[in-house]
Amino acid sequence: QVQLVESGGGLAQPGGSLRLSCRVSGFDLDERAVGWFRQAPGKEREGVGCISATDGSVYYADSVKGRFIISRDNDRRTAYLQLNSLKPEDTAVYYCVAERWWYCSGYASLVDNWGQGSEVTVAS
């Protein structure tokens, strides 16, 4: 049974930082790509980024490039999303996902499993 359990969400000020964690079970992080999506209030779901399983290549959406960092710790079975230089428009529910194969597609239609979501609020 595949599970992705997220933690670390909360409130941050503009310009601040948060780190989201995604602990996985039912597969190893060197087997399937792990990505992050988000959905802001009243907005469509959008991809944030992804890390491939075998070579660790990381991809980012233009909206977060240079501010967010995706990483993983295979031994701890945990993927991370570091959110830096936060803006109010980053306010959203963030979802950790497991894709169908080892490489990143960035397509929600190829997501096999979703985390429960972590609420991130950026406000002063």
Side-chain angles (χ1 to χ4, degrees):
Q1 182 177 351
V2 172
Q3 290 184 319
L4 300 93
V5 180
E6 301 178 42
S7 61
L11 175 66
Q13 298 185 44
S17 297
L18 285 174
R19 187 176 75 164
L20 303 182
S21 297
C22 174
R23 191 178 191 279
V24 309
S25 60
F27 70 97
D28 293 327
L29 289 174
D30 61 357
E31 295 176 337
R32 295 169 63 185
V34 172
W36 293 87
F37 287 78
R38 69 182 182 183
Q39 187 162 21
K43 300 294 183 63
E44 298 293 323
R45 179 180 58 200
E46 65 174 339
V48 174
C50 181
I51 182 167
S52 296
T54 55
D55 62 8
S57 298
V58 182
Y59 305 89
Y60 299 99
D62 288 341
S63 59
V64 306
K65 192 175 298 181
R67 298 189 298 121
F68 292 5
I69 302 172
I70 295 171
S71 62
R72 69 187 183 192
D73 186 330
N74 291 8
D75 291 336
R76 295 180 61 87
R77 306 183 66 86
T78 303
Y80 303 95
L81 178 64
Q82 179 71 38
L83 301 84
N84 299 316
S85 302
L86 284 164
K87 305 174 182 179
E89 52 263 43
D90 294 320
T91 295
V93 178
Y94 286 74
Y95 297 93
C96 176
V97 306
E99 294 205 13
R100 186 165 300 170
W101 296 297
W102 66 267
Y103 59 89
C104 291
S105 74
Y107 293 106
S109 60
L110 292 180
V111 171
D112 272 350
N113 305 96
W114 294 78
Q116 83 278 13
S118 295
E119 294 184 354
V120 172
T121 301
V122 183
S124 58

